[in-house]
Amino acid sequence: MAKISLGKGINMGLRAAMENDPKVLIMGEDIGKLGGVFRVTEGLQKDFGEDRVIDTPLAESGIIGTAVGLALRGYRPVCEIQFDGFVFPAYDQIINQVAKMHYRSMGKLKMPIVIRIPFGGGIGAVEHHSESPETLFAHVAGLKVVACGDPVDAYWMIQQAIASDDPVVFFEPKRRYHEKAELDESAGATYPLYKAKVVREGTDATLFCYGPMVKTCLQAAEAALEDGRNLEVVDLRTIAPLDLATIFESVKKTRRAVVVHEAPLSLGTGSELAARVTEECFYHLEAPVLRVAGFDTPYPPSRMEEEYLPDLDRVLEGVDRVMEY
Amino acid sequence: MAKISLGKGINMGLRAAMENDPKVLIMGEDIGKLGGVFRVTEGLQKDFGEDRVIDTPLAESGIIGTAVGLALRGYRPVCEIQFDGFVFPAYDQIINQVAKMHYRSMGKLKMPIVIRIPFGGGIGAVEHHSESPETLFAHVAGLKVVACGDPVDAYWMIQQAIASDDPVVFFEPKRRYHEKAELDESAGATYPLYKAKVVREGTDATLFCYGPMVKTCLQAAEAALEDGRNLEVVDLRTIAPLDLATIFESVKKTRRAVVVHEAPLSLGTGSELAARVTEECFYHLEAPVLRVAGFDTPYPPSRMEEEYLPDLDRVLEGVDRVMEY
Amino acid sequence: MSESVPGIAPEVFAPVKAPVSPTQASEEVEFVQLLTPEGERVEHPDYSFDLDDEAVKGFYRDMTLVRRIDTEATALQRQGELGIWASLLGQEAAQIGSGRALNKKDMVFPTYREHGVAWCQGVDPLNLLGLFRGVDQGAWDPRDNNFHLYTIVIGAQTLHATGYAMGQQRDGAVGGDPDNDTDGEATIAYFGDGASSQGDVNEAFIYASVFNAPVVFFCQNNQWAISEPIDRQTRIPLYQRAAGFGFPGVRVDGNDVLATYAVTQQALKRAREGSGPTLVEAYTYRMGAHTTSDDPTKYRLSEDLEYWKLKDPIERVKAYLTRSAGVDSDFFDAIEAEADGIAARLREGCLSMPDPTLTDFFDHAYVEQTPQLAEQKAQYAAYAASFEGEN
Amino acid sequence: MSESVPGIAPEVFAPVKAPVSPTQASEEVEFVQLLTPEGERVEHPDYSFDLDDEAVKGFYRDMTLVRRIDTEATALQRQGELGIWASLLGQEAAQIGSGRALNKKDMVFPTYREHGVAWCQGVDPLNLLGLFRGVDQGAWDPRDNNFHLYTIVIGAQTLHATGYAMGQQRDGAVGGDPDNDTDGEATIAYFGDGASSQGDVNEAFIYASVFNAPVVFFCQNNQWAISEPIDRQTRIPLYQRAAGFGFPGVRVDGNDVLATYAVTQQALKRAREGSGPTLVEAYTYRMGAHTTSDDPTKYRLSEDLEYWKLKDPIERVKAYLTRSAGVDSDFFDAIEAEADGIAARLREGCLSMPDPTLTDFFDHAYVEQTPQLAEQKAQYAAYAASFEGEN
Ligand SMILES: Cc1ncc(C[n+]2csc(CCOP(=O)(O)OP(=O)(O)O)c2C)c(N)n1
Ligand SMILES: Cc1ncc(C[n+]2csc(CCOP(=O)(O)OP(=O)(O)O)c2C)c(N)n1
Ligand SMILES: [Mg+2]
Ligand SMILES: [Mg+2]
């Protein structure tokens, strides 16, 4: 069993998918010789050639728009968007074409497209490089939206996303690309793609999180032990659809919930989760579902990002509030 | 006092704004001789000339991108997007440029741009012509998002939006363009833009709505009287920011709330409103905030839109659920 | 197609000028014409029409039938049976000429107006009505006829076409195999003059050029994008746009079915052989309203229409067939009768289209239904059922 | 600028070929050059350099100082003082030549690499560091120096520039007033070769052309978009793109400050006079990495770099000044000393930049703060205060 980084997990997952299915293509800016700005596609063009690992012109609408055509021709394109802030030129193609094709064709046409987006902050980057735009996809019917939080999930989830016949927006927590974990490739993908995972069992309250915040929440849960609090941590993994069964089960057990994400508070994942949980678990809740999230401003210059991003302290402060409500 | 339609209200509001401030420009597709596909800009090019009422090339990113430049030059562009589904080619310019300019310049640059979007369904149109994309703007820090629900608001709100130094996404309920009401132009804009309005006082539950659903909810409230229910109806008017003060006040009074919108349920305006209300009014609520919304599918072909859209019956069914919870 | 500078469009067309309406300001530009408005055959140095009069008769039939289909659909809209209709009136030659140049394996990406191309591809005209009636968003299976769904978002389909063509390349389907008498495959993207301003269309030009994709960009310049005249989109002839992207552009008389056929055929051949994209600008005129919702009297003068009536794409073929090919009235009468039959069938089919059921549509959003949506469907079905028997 | 066909770019450049790196496949294309890599003045039929040697000395000083600023910033990044830096190394002539052609009232829309143009506009170099250090997103007021904030989203600023130019038109600021000796105003948009593929840039071409906006599109073709060579963006020379949109395009030796000045000046003049847009392609080379985060050894060969070193934009001016203008070492020494001073000031200023406070930034999201955000600010301030004195 090898210890691999999250970035390497994606890389190996892409490789496996390409080996298993000659229809899998990857496309994006700088993904060839350079191996992508995060080196996630390193070595793939060398091994699979320029026709399957396509360095595209610098035009994101073109990436997704041609991917639609390739998908209609029977290919399974995996599109890399270089940074979260640069997906918007492609937004029309994603919202109006990719998301709607299956519906408007009444099921005749499939869009097995994966849109990989390194997302979130914490890497000291300049503007547009630290966004968390998941709501802008999760609200859109026809898309599925997932985020991986650790290297093992990264490896399996990317393969499952590629195998999915629905279009998947695949968020990768860029500041966790170098986090490492043991991967047992022979294990097979036993955990379903569209299912949340209890990554830490607890009794007093549940922290819901995904992507980069999984590590933060696990750390917060450890720290909370000092205050005598035993927190459950649920890695949502799938943002659209939310895995409500797992979510409700946890809340019914702990009766208190805090949702944690980097994305701005208003209309973030936490708002839908809070609304659903309240509807379903109204009489189980000891306190309203609270949210620890990015503020409702644009992402700040990086010298302030540590303050902007939910960290262990802010998560614990949220826990305090939900416990003392 | 004249009776005017909602469309005419916008038209007169635009005219008034252009008369009051020579820096106000309007731009968009077919807004000149044709007066826009909904005739909302009728007569304006004739009176203000082609330099102030600009028929643009058929390119929405270009409309908003050049509006940014015009705003930087001191103009106040009002951009018409022909239909809700066609705003997405301009999404990058809206999200990354319009929304962020004030923040990234640390307050030095203003973007007094209004983006007018006829939104919602119910007019029997083909695909992409009946969308309710308000979440996709309301989640974005830096934008303000409002919707008018009646002709009088239309007239005043468009002028207030143009006068606002923040960028405003201005949603117009296209299926209400022909609704009429008395307008007293001499009254002045007494009601603030970013404030919700109790359009019907009630005691048993509150219906929160905006745009096209205001009329529907008022009708539902009338009908509910038959069941002995006295519903309050709040026209949100501002979706971002939500006017929480008015919202909380109403919920604390009625203790039950239903949010109604055409936009898909998940991550719709209702989810944020529900999350906020639950956080603030937890001990006041007799039932969770319920939502009556569009379904989480793309908008259907128009022969099914009556079933897809929340109507009087679906609103009343939501009221039943919230009362009987 | 002869090229003076590699990758730059030829400027060597016959000296036939594209017509300019009395009220239009733009300059006259040459275009490829093989049949004059009066129905006379003319020759062109670079393009020739290599089919016989039987084929011309076929084109006549095609154009007449699609015009009748179009007229019937407009009537159905007037009577409230369709919500809206986008008429192809005046663009029959552009669509039939290009549509008939397609091979069986070529793929088409249309806008919402390509009823004539749909006809060429064998799409049942009745299927075209669903979108406009509001019962579906295109009921045909694009794979059955190599004719994609109508795309309404202006220009988006040009990228789809380019991607599809890149798929043809990757499948090894480009470049003929002379031993097996195969031609290779190509893709054709239809779009309008207005669409040429969209970023997507220009990105499609770039992708197609950079990847040398086998795609023909077929622009029907019908002079209008709703109310906006062509000078809102460009200040030079549109076909010249291609040169700046490194592939040839050519303007053809879009009301001349022979020329449109010849020019499109050559462009498709180039694509199938692996020589990359071509932009064809079919210079034509939108004789009707933009759609049945539009009122063109607000923005254009009737004298333009009168002027363009003289260039009618069907009349000139009829004149040619009558005068030069000895075709007699039996032929024309038979086609009229055929058109009557098709129109009647269309009307009947439209009126008897079953109304769709929203419950079914819950299953179309995803291949793998989500639990939430399954629940919404169930709740909605129960809710809808509660009204049953009510009236 | 002479034009053979109205609206079509002239093809009448002097027969000087743009250099092609040993490993590049693209064909040689002519460009405008007035000073050879060896420092010899040459003439061009359409463009002439009308300033004296004092001006050339000024250009030399500008280029040397901005190169030093750039080197210092790179060093600051290496030492962890900046998060990232985008070097202009190799592009000094393109930026100074074009920047010095600007009039006081002209407006600039830069990318993230236009440090040389910022210098020409009088932006304090220290202010350029904030974005890269992560303390702000551009601290200068664009109105003070007619130099907009750096734009990172590729191509977006070309539309802003076009809109701004449309504003200049509407203000009546276009078209000189000879009586008052005014020149009119123009706008210049900088962008890269990679950016040319974005829909936005092509839409900007369309808007500028259709509205005849006084904007110069200044493309620094430095041959690379991060790791992607120019052939990923176009298969013909980029300047030819303009012709398809109906305005002139010209390729200039971007390592020749005199030619860049002359060509940009003429393009700006055209714009100011009301003759509309021009595309200037400054053919140059990105001598450094894309940014300090990049590793170009992964995708390009060192021999390319060696080849381009011989075309250095500063060396050739030095050679000219020394050999042909009789400038002696005192001049060069003085500039070195000046550069030392600027670099020292930059370093010191960078190290002493105050760290920003998040609390302040809550107020920047809106002109009129929202109640929610005011509350978030207050809560955050209280929360932050609770940690004070903790360590
Ligand atoms: C992105 C987008 N913007 C606006 C519209 C609304 N719209 C529909 S058709 C049309 C004009 C299209 O003109 P053109 O491309 O010339 O095609 P034509 O209708 O003339 O065939 C417009 C503006 C749209 N469908 N998509
Ligand atoms: C819309 C968008 N997509 C991707 C990026 C990431 N990116 C930053 S610079 C760059 C390459 C730009 O190349 P070019 O336009 O040639 O400018 P240069 O950096 O060479 O000056 C890329 C892909 C971006 N900033 N914006
Ligand atoms: Mg048209
Ligand atoms: Mg470059």
Short mmCIF file of all heavy atoms in Angstrom, two decimals, chain D residues 61-105:
data_model
loop_
_atom_site.label_atom_id
_atom_site.label_comp_id
_atom_site.label_asym_id
_atom_site.label_seq_id
_atom_site.Cartn_x
_atom_site.Cartn_y
_atom_site.Cartn_z
N ARG D 61 16.24 54.45 -20.52
CA ARG D 61 16.12 54.59 -19.06
C ARG D 61 14.86 53.87 -18.57
O ARG D 61 14.91 53.06 -17.64
CB ARG D 61 16.03 56.08 -18.70
CG ARG D 61 15.70 56.35 -17.24
CD ARG D 61 15.72 57.84 -16.91
NE ARG D 61 15.16 58.07 -15.57
CZ ARG D 61 13.87 58.29 -15.33
NH1 ARG D 61 13.00 58.33 -16.33
NH2 ARG D 61 13.45 58.48 -14.08
N ASP D 62 13.74 54.11 -19.23
CA ASP D 62 12.49 53.45 -18.83
C ASP D 62 12.66 51.93 -18.79
O ASP D 62 12.29 51.26 -17.83
CB ASP D 62 11.38 53.76 -19.83
CG ASP D 62 10.89 55.21 -19.77
OD1 ASP D 62 11.01 55.83 -18.69
OD2 ASP D 62 10.38 55.69 -20.80
N MET D 63 13.18 51.41 -19.86
CA MET D 63 13.29 49.95 -19.97
C MET D 63 14.22 49.38 -18.91
O MET D 63 13.95 48.34 -18.31
CB MET D 63 13.76 49.56 -21.37
CG MET D 63 12.73 49.87 -22.46
SD MET D 63 13.07 48.99 -24.01
CE MET D 63 14.54 49.86 -24.53
N THR D 64 15.31 50.08 -18.69
CA THR D 64 16.27 49.60 -17.71
C THR D 64 15.67 49.64 -16.30
O THR D 64 15.82 48.70 -15.51
CB THR D 64 17.55 50.46 -17.75
OG1 THR D 64 18.01 50.48 -19.10
CG2 THR D 64 18.61 49.91 -16.84
N LEU D 65 14.98 50.72 -16.03
CA LEU D 65 14.39 50.83 -14.68
C LEU D 65 13.29 49.80 -14.47
O LEU D 65 13.21 49.17 -13.41
CB LEU D 65 13.85 52.25 -14.45
CG LEU D 65 14.92 53.36 -14.49
CD1 LEU D 65 14.29 54.71 -14.14
CD2 LEU D 65 16.09 53.06 -13.55
N VAL D 66 12.44 49.59 -15.46
CA VAL D 66 11.37 48.62 -15.22
C VAL D 66 11.93 47.20 -15.16
O VAL D 66 11.42 46.35 -14.43
CB VAL D 66 10.19 48.71 -16.24
CG1 VAL D 66 9.55 50.08 -16.18
CG2 VAL D 66 10.61 48.33 -17.63
N ARG D 67 12.99 46.97 -15.90
CA ARG D 67 13.59 45.64 -15.78
C ARG D 67 14.13 45.45 -14.36
O ARG D 67 14.00 44.39 -13.77
CB ARG D 67 14.71 45.44 -16.81
CG ARG D 67 15.34 44.05 -16.70
CD ARG D 67 16.30 43.72 -17.81
NE ARG D 67 15.62 43.47 -19.08
CZ ARG D 67 16.24 43.08 -20.20
NH1 ARG D 67 17.56 42.92 -20.20
NH2 ARG D 67 15.55 42.86 -21.30
N ARG D 68 14.71 46.51 -13.83
CA ARG D 68 15.25 46.41 -12.48
C ARG D 68 14.11 46.25 -11.45
O ARG D 68 14.23 45.46 -10.52
CB ARG D 68 16.08 47.65 -12.17
CG ARG D 68 16.73 47.61 -10.80
CD ARG D 68 17.67 46.37 -10.66
NE ARG D 68 18.63 46.62 -9.60
CZ ARG D 68 19.78 47.22 -9.80
NH1 ARG D 68 20.16 47.57 -11.02
NH2 ARG D 68 20.59 47.45 -8.78
N ILE D 69 13.07 46.97 -11.65
CA ILE D 69 11.91 46.81 -10.75
C ILE D 69 11.43 45.36 -10.80
O ILE D 69 11.15 44.73 -9.78
CB ILE D 69 10.77 47.78 -11.19
CG1 ILE D 69 11.17 49.22 -10.86
CG2 ILE D 69 9.44 47.41 -10.53
CD1 ILE D 69 10.27 50.28 -11.52
N ASP D 70 11.37 44.84 -12.00
CA ASP D 70 10.89 43.48 -12.21
C ASP D 70 11.83 42.47 -11.52
O ASP D 70 11.38 41.54 -10.85
CB ASP D 70 10.84 43.22 -13.71
CG ASP D 70 10.19 41.90 -14.05
OD1 ASP D 70 8.95 41.82 -13.95
OD2 ASP D 70 10.90 40.95 -14.39
N THR D 71 13.12 42.68 -11.69
CA THR D 71 14.10 41.77 -11.09
C THR D 71 13.99 41.81 -9.58
O THR D 71 14.06 40.78 -8.90
CB THR D 71 15.53 42.18 -11.50
OG1 THR D 71 15.54 42.37 -12.91
CG2 THR D 71 16.55 41.13 -11.10
N GLU D 72 13.80 43.00 -9.05
CA GLU D 72 13.70 43.15 -7.60
C GLU D 72 12.43 42.46 -7.08
O GLU D 72 12.46 41.79 -6.05
CB GLU D 72 13.66 44.64 -7.23
CG GLU D 72 13.93 44.91 -5.77
CD GLU D 72 15.32 44.45 -5.31
OE1 GLU D 72 16.27 44.43 -6.14
OE2 GLU D 72 15.44 44.08 -4.12
N ALA D 73 11.37 42.61 -7.82
CA ALA D 73 10.12 41.97 -7.40
C ALA D 73 10.27 40.45 -7.42
O ALA D 73 9.81 39.75 -6.51
CB ALA D 73 8.97 42.41 -8.31
N THR D 74 10.93 39.95 -8.44
CA THR D 74 11.17 38.51 -8.50
C THR D 74 11.99 38.07 -7.29
O THR D 74 11.69 37.04 -6.66
CB THR D 74 11.91 38.14 -9.81
OG1 THR D 74 11.08 38.53 -10.91
CG2 THR D 74 12.19 36.66 -9.90
N ALA D 75 13.00 38.86 -6.95
CA ALA D 75 13.81 38.53 -5.77
C ALA D 75 12.96 38.57 -4.51
O ALA D 75 13.07 37.69 -3.64
CB ALA D 75 14.99 39.50 -5.65
N LEU D 76 12.11 39.56 -4.42
CA LEU D 76 11.24 39.65 -3.24
C LEU D 76 10.33 38.42 -3.15
O LEU D 76 10.07 37.91 -2.06
CB LEU D 76 10.39 40.93 -3.31
CG LEU D 76 11.14 42.22 -2.97
CD1 LEU D 76 10.36 43.46 -3.43
CD2 LEU D 76 11.41 42.30 -1.46
N GLN D 77 9.88 37.95 -4.29
CA GLN D 77 9.04 36.75 -4.26
C GLN D 77 9.87 35.56 -3.76
O GLN D 77 9.42 34.80 -2.92
CB GLN D 77 8.47 36.47 -5.66
CG GLN D 77 7.34 35.45 -5.68
CD GLN D 77 7.83 34.00 -5.59
OE1 GLN D 77 8.95 33.66 -5.97
NE2 GLN D 77 6.98 33.13 -5.03
N ARG D 78 11.08 35.44 -4.28
CA ARG D 78 11.93 34.31 -3.88
C ARG D 78 12.12 34.30 -2.37
O ARG D 78 12.24 33.24 -1.75
CB ARG D 78 13.31 34.42 -4.55
CG ARG D 78 13.31 34.25 -6.03
CD ARG D 78 13.51 32.78 -6.46
NE ARG D 78 12.75 32.51 -7.70
CZ ARG D 78 13.05 33.02 -8.90
NH1 ARG D 78 14.11 33.80 -9.05
NH2 ARG D 78 12.31 32.75 -9.93
N GLN D 79 12.19 35.50 -1.82
CA GLN D 79 12.44 35.60 -0.37
C GLN D 79 11.15 35.55 0.44
O GLN D 79 11.16 35.80 1.65
CB GLN D 79 13.22 36.89 -0.08
CG GLN D 79 14.63 36.86 -0.67
CD GLN D 79 15.13 38.24 -1.06
OE1 GLN D 79 14.65 39.25 -0.57
NE2 GLN D 79 16.12 38.27 -1.95
N GLY D 80 10.08 35.24 -0.23
CA GLY D 80 8.83 35.06 0.50
C GLY D 80 8.07 36.34 0.79
O GLY D 80 7.07 36.32 1.51
N GLU D 81 8.53 37.45 0.22
CA GLU D 81 7.84 38.71 0.50
C GLU D 81 6.63 38.91 -0.41
O GLU D 81 5.72 39.66 -0.08
CB GLU D 81 8.81 39.89 0.35
CG GLU D 81 9.92 39.90 1.38
CD GLU D 81 9.40 40.01 2.81
OE1 GLU D 81 8.31 40.60 3.00
OE2 GLU D 81 10.04 39.46 3.74
N LEU D 82 6.65 38.27 -1.56
CA LEU D 82 5.48 38.30 -2.44
C LEU D 82 5.01 36.86 -2.62
O LEU D 82 5.81 35.92 -2.63
CB LEU D 82 5.85 38.87 -3.82
CG LEU D 82 6.43 40.28 -3.87
CD1 LEU D 82 6.72 40.68 -5.32
CD2 LEU D 82 5.49 41.29 -3.21
N GLY D 83 3.71 36.68 -2.78
CA GLY D 83 3.19 35.34 -2.99
C GLY D 83 3.54 34.82 -4.38
O GLY D 83 3.79 33.63 -4.58
N ILE D 84 3.58 35.74 -5.33
CA ILE D 84 3.81 35.38 -6.72
C ILE D 84 4.21 36.65 -7.44
O ILE D 84 3.95 37.76 -6.95
CB ILE D 84 2.49 34.79 -7.32
CG1 ILE D 84 2.73 34.07 -8.64
CG2 ILE D 84 1.44 35.87 -7.46
CD1 ILE D 84 1.48 33.34 -9.14
N TRP D 85 4.85 36.53 -8.58
CA TRP D 85 5.17 37.69 -9.39
C TRP D 85 5.11 37.29 -10.86
O TRP D 85 5.55 36.19 -11.22
CB TRP D 85 6.55 38.26 -9.04
CG TRP D 85 6.94 39.46 -9.87
CD1 TRP D 85 7.89 39.52 -10.84
CD2 TRP D 85 6.37 40.78 -9.80
NE1 TRP D 85 7.95 40.78 -11.39
CE2 TRP D 85 7.03 41.58 -10.78
CE3 TRP D 85 5.35 41.36 -9.03
CZ2 TRP D 85 6.71 42.92 -10.99
CZ3 TRP D 85 5.04 42.70 -9.24
CH2 TRP D 85 5.71 43.47 -10.21
N ALA D 86 4.56 38.16 -11.66
CA ALA D 86 4.50 37.92 -13.11
C ALA D 86 5.51 38.85 -13.76
O ALA D 86 5.31 40.07 -13.81
CB ALA D 86 3.08 38.20 -13.62
N SER D 87 6.57 38.27 -14.25
CA SER D 87 7.69 39.06 -14.76
C SER D 87 7.43 39.56 -16.18
O SER D 87 6.82 38.88 -16.99
CB SER D 87 8.94 38.18 -14.75
OG SER D 87 9.96 38.79 -15.50
N LEU D 88 7.93 40.77 -16.45
CA LEU D 88 7.80 41.30 -17.82
C LEU D 88 9.09 41.11 -18.62
O LEU D 88 9.20 41.63 -19.73
CB LEU D 88 7.39 42.78 -17.80
CG LEU D 88 8.25 43.84 -17.16
CD1 LEU D 88 9.72 43.85 -17.50
CD2 LEU D 88 7.69 45.21 -17.53
N LEU D 89 10.00 40.35 -18.07
CA LEU D 89 11.32 40.22 -18.70
C LEU D 89 11.22 39.86 -20.18
O LEU D 89 10.60 38.87 -20.54
CB LEU D 89 12.13 39.13 -17.97
CG LEU D 89 13.63 39.12 -18.30
CD1 LEU D 89 14.33 40.35 -17.75
CD2 LEU D 89 14.29 37.84 -17.77
N GLY D 90 11.84 40.70 -21.00
CA GLY D 90 11.81 40.49 -22.44
C GLY D 90 10.76 41.34 -23.14
O GLY D 90 10.82 41.54 -24.34
N GLN D 91 9.80 41.84 -22.38
CA GLN D 91 8.70 42.59 -22.98
C GLN D 91 8.80 44.09 -22.70
O GLN D 91 7.83 44.83 -22.89
CB GLN D 91 7.35 42.03 -22.48
CG GLN D 91 7.19 40.55 -22.81
CD GLN D 91 5.91 39.90 -22.31
OE1 GLN D 91 5.93 38.74 -21.95
NE2 GLN D 91 4.81 40.63 -22.27
N GLU D 92 10.00 44.53 -22.29
CA GLU D 92 10.16 45.94 -21.92
C GLU D 92 9.90 46.88 -23.08
O GLU D 92 9.28 47.94 -22.92
CB GLU D 92 11.57 46.19 -21.36
CG GLU D 92 11.89 45.48 -20.05
CD GLU D 92 12.41 44.06 -20.25
OE1 GLU D 92 12.42 43.57 -21.40
OE2 GLU D 92 12.81 43.43 -19.25
N ALA D 93 10.37 46.50 -24.26
CA ALA D 93 10.21 47.41 -25.40
C ALA D 93 8.74 47.53 -25.79
O ALA D 93 8.24 48.62 -26.08
CB ALA D 93 11.03 46.92 -26.59
N ALA D 94 8.06 46.40 -25.76
CA ALA D 94 6.64 46.41 -26.13
C ALA D 94 5.87 47.33 -25.19
O ALA D 94 5.01 48.11 -25.61
CB ALA D 94 6.07 45.00 -26.08
N GLN D 95 6.22 47.27 -23.93
CA GLN D 95 5.46 48.05 -22.95
C GLN D 95 5.86 49.52 -22.92
O GLN D 95 5.01 50.40 -22.86
CB GLN D 95 5.60 47.41 -21.56
CG GLN D 95 4.97 46.01 -21.52
CD GLN D 95 4.77 45.48 -20.12
OE1 GLN D 95 4.85 46.23 -19.14
NE2 GLN D 95 4.50 44.20 -20.01
N ILE D 96 7.16 49.77 -22.98
CA ILE D 96 7.60 51.17 -22.93
C ILE D 96 7.29 51.86 -24.25
O ILE D 96 6.81 53.00 -24.26
CB ILE D 96 9.12 51.24 -22.61
CG1 ILE D 96 9.39 50.63 -21.23
CG2 ILE D 96 9.60 52.69 -22.70
CD1 ILE D 96 8.69 51.30 -20.06
N GLY D 97 7.49 51.17 -25.34
CA GLY D 97 7.20 51.78 -26.65
C GLY D 97 5.73 52.17 -26.73
O GLY D 97 5.39 53.29 -27.15
N SER D 98 4.86 51.28 -26.33
CA SER D 98 3.43 51.59 -26.41
C SER D 98 3.03 52.58 -25.32
O SER D 98 2.26 53.50 -25.56
CB SER D 98 2.60 50.31 -26.31
OG SER D 98 2.86 49.63 -25.10
N GLY D 99 3.57 52.37 -24.12
CA GLY D 99 3.21 53.25 -23.00
C GLY D 99 3.61 54.69 -23.25
O GLY D 99 2.87 55.62 -22.91
N ARG D 100 4.76 54.88 -23.86
CA ARG D 100 5.23 56.25 -24.11
C ARG D 100 4.49 56.90 -25.28
O ARG D 100 4.61 58.11 -25.49
CB ARG D 100 6.74 56.25 -24.37
CG ARG D 100 7.58 56.08 -23.10
CD ARG D 100 7.29 57.17 -22.08
NE ARG D 100 8.03 56.97 -20.83
CZ ARG D 100 7.65 57.47 -19.66
NH1 ARG D 100 6.55 58.20 -19.57
NH2 ARG D 100 8.36 57.25 -18.57
N ALA D 101 3.75 56.11 -26.03
CA ALA D 101 2.98 56.70 -27.13
C ALA D 101 1.66 57.28 -26.63
O ALA D 101 0.94 57.94 -27.38
CB ALA D 101 2.72 55.64 -28.20
N LEU D 102 1.35 57.03 -25.39
CA LEU D 102 0.07 57.49 -24.84
C LEU D 102 0.07 58.98 -24.53
O LEU D 102 1.10 59.53 -24.10
CB LEU D 102 -0.25 56.71 -23.56
CG LEU D 102 -0.52 55.22 -23.75
CD1 LEU D 102 -0.41 54.48 -22.42
CD2 LEU D 102 -1.89 55.00 -24.38
N ASN D 103 -1.05 59.60 -24.73
CA ASN D 103 -1.25 60.98 -24.28
C ASN D 103 -1.82 60.97 -22.87
O ASN D 103 -2.30 59.96 -22.39
CB ASN D 103 -2.24 61.70 -25.20
CG ASN D 103 -1.57 62.19 -26.47
OD1 ASN D 103 -0.35 62.01 -26.63
ND2 ASN D 103 -2.35 62.76 -27.36
N LYS D 104 -1.78 62.14 -22.30
CA LYS D 104 -2.21 62.26 -20.91
C LYS D 104 -3.64 61.77 -20.69
O LYS D 104 -3.94 61.15 -19.68
CB LYS D 104 -2.12 63.74 -20.50
CG LYS D 104 -1.79 63.94 -19.03
CD LYS D 104 -1.58 65.40 -18.69
CE LYS D 104 -1.99 65.65 -17.24
NZ LYS D 104 -1.59 64.58 -16.31
N LYS D 105 -4.50 62.03 -21.64
CA LYS D 105 -5.91 61.68 -21.44
C LYS D 105 -6.27 60.26 -21.87
O LYS D 105 -7.39 59.82 -21.68
CB LYS D 105 -6.80 62.67 -22.19
CG LYS D 105 -6.84 64.04 -21.57
CD LYS D 105 -7.81 64.89 -22.36
CE LYS D 105 -8.12 66.19 -21.66
NZ LYS D 105 -8.94 67.03 -22.56
#
